[in-house]
Amino acid sequence: MNHTNTQDDAQKQAKPLTPKVKELIANTKSVILATVDAEGTPNSSYAPFVQENNTFYILVSFMAKHTKNLSEGRKTSVMFIEDESATKQIYARERLTIEATTSQVERDSETWNSVVGKLKEDHGKVVDVIAEMKDFILIGLHPVKGSYVNGFGSAYFVDENLEIMEHRNDVNHQSK
């Protein structure tokens, strides 16, 4: 019996539970953002976030390139990733990458006040200062679909509710 095939088959059948995805999000304080400008030039950055229902909110300055890209509704990708210092294997860090649509939250709306309060709880009093700055806007990131990876050959599609759907592919890593 081929031990490698048995191990690969078992890993595919041992689909991780959705709470594992939610645990990764809960253990992450900021998201990595990938945006594009009007010419298609990519830009990456990060922002502290909070989650309310199925939306991630970030408070970001309009002076930053990524904020303009986000506010103009262009394609966005968001990544939550295991801390480097906590990983056992740097090549196989646990991560969730989602495609997201964006919306800008109106200043002083009920959502603004609720989310800014949560940001302050999670990230400290600095939020009071930056929330008062007129160049800071609140952006909602709404998941569309994505992928969750928790090791070699262990990648899964996730839906807009961040529920694990299925193994990403049946092609295993192979050596030359």
Side-chain angles (χ1 to χ4, degrees), residues 75-91:
K75 291 183 179 182
T76 301
S77 179
V78 180
M79 183 168 66
F80 304 83
I81 189 165
E82 177 184 28
D83 189 302
E84 285 183 0
S85 65
T87 191
K88 293 177 182 152
Q89 174 47 262
I90 196 68
Y91 280 100

Side-chain angles (χ1 to χ4, degrees), residues 40-160:
T41 304
N43 178 258
S44 60
S45 191
Y46 82 98
F49 77 96
V50 293
Q51 183 179 12
E52 190 169 276
N53 300 315
N54 200 37
T55 301
F56 301 97
Y57 292 95
I58 56 175
L59 185 61
V60 287
S61 171
F62 205 84
M63 293 173 15
K65 186 185 257 187
H66 64 268
T67 303
K68 182 175 184 193
N69 296 342
L70 290 166
S71 69
E72 293 179 355
R74 295 195 187 88
K75 291 183 179 182
T76 301
S77 179
V78 180
M79 183 168 66
F80 304 83
I81 189 165
E82 177 184 28
D83 189 302
E84 285 183 0
S85 65
T87 191
K88 293 177 182 152
Q89 174 47 262
I90 196 68
Y91 280 100
R93 287 167 68 189
E94 181 184 10
R95 59 201 174 271
L96 169 67
T97 305
I98 57 174
E99 294 174 25
T101 60
T102 62
S103 63
Q104 187 172 333
V105 176
E106 187 176 324
R107 186 176 285 272
D108 296 322
S109 66
E110 187 177 321
T111 301
W112 171 281
N113 292 328
S114 172
V115 170
V116 167
K118 284 185 176 186
L119 282 163
K120 182 179 175 184
E121 285 175 28
D122 288 3
H123 303 296
K125 292 181 181 183
V126 68
V127 174
D128 280 337
V129 175
I130 63 176
E132 291 300 316
M133 295 178 178
K134 297 301 179 199
D135 63 301
F136 274 79
I137 61 174
L138 187 62
I139 299 281
L141 304 165
H142 313 279
V144 174
K145 64 181 177 177
S147 67
Y148 171 72
V149 177
N150 67 342
F152 290 114
S154 184
Y156 301 87
F157 289 114
V158 296
D159 66 15
E160 67 277 2

Side-chain angles (χ1 to χ4, degrees), residues 15-33:
K15 181 168 90 168
L17 302 174
T18 296
K20 186 77 172 138
V21 172
K22 297 190 185 333
E23 182 180 312
L24 174 63
I25 294 168
N27 291 330
T28 307
K29 292 184 179 217
S30 62
V31 294
I32 297 171
L33 304 165

